Amino acid sequence: MITIYGIDSLLDANKAQMSDVLHGCMSRVLGLPEDKRAQRFVPLDRSNFYYPGGRSEQYTVIEISMIAGRTEATKKQLIKEIFAAFERDLAIQPVDVEITLFEQ
C-alpha cells in the first residue's frame, strides 16, 4: 500500500502520471505485477499541509507499507529509483520528496 500526500491542486494535476511513475518503480525494483497497484492519494488544502523550509509547493510525502524481509540494498534501491523517477518524469526535485518505508 502506498499513500501519497501533497497540496491538492498540484497532487490532483499529477495524480495519474505519479501513479504510473510510482508503480513503475515498484515493478522494476520489487517485481510487482501491474494488477498489484495499491495506492491512495491524499490531497490536502494548503492550510492543512505544512512542510519543512527549503521545500517548494511540490513537496510530496510518500508512505510505503510493505511486508518485512526485503534487504537494505533493495529498500535503498527503491528509494533511489523513486527520487530519480520523480525528477526525470515529474520534474519534482528529490528535496521535495519525502519517502517513508513501513515494514509489516
Side-chain angles (χ1 to χ4, degrees):
M1 168 69 78
I2 301 175
T3 306
I4 304 99
Y5 303 88
I7 293 176
D8 53 5
S9 60
L10 300 168
L11 193 61
D12 287 341
N14 293 314
K15 192 180 333 186
Q17 187 179 7
M18 194 176 288
S19 175
D20 290 341
V21 167
L22 281 169
H23 192 69
C25 293
M26 300 293 284
S27 294
R28 283 188 296 281
V29 177
L30 304 178
L32 292 185
E34 179 56 37
D35 66 346
K36 191 74 172 182
R37 191 181 299 220
Q39 303 168 344
R40 303 296 178 264
F41 287 85
V42 182
L44 298 166
D45 184 82
R46 290 175 198 279
S47 66
N48 292 320
F49 191 55
Y50 293 90
Y51 47 87
R55 308 313 194 270
S56 78
E57 291 184 338
Q58 289 187 313
Y59 184 70
T60 304
V61 176
I62 302 168
E63 295 178 345
I64 302 171
S65 295
M66 63 174 66
I67 295 173
R70 292 193 172 83
T71 66
E72 289 299 313
T74 298
K75 292 183 276 188
K76 286 179 181 182
Q77 182 184 359
L78 176 61
I79 290 168
K80 288 178 183 178
E81 181 76 18
I82 292 170
F83 283 141
F86 266 57
E87 185 171 23
R88 178 186 65 240
D89 301 333
L90 299 168
I92 298 176
Q93 300 300 310
V95 72
D96 280 325
V97 179
E98 179 179 319
I99 303 167
T100 305
L101 298 178
F102 298 102
E103 291 186 292
Q104 309 286 336

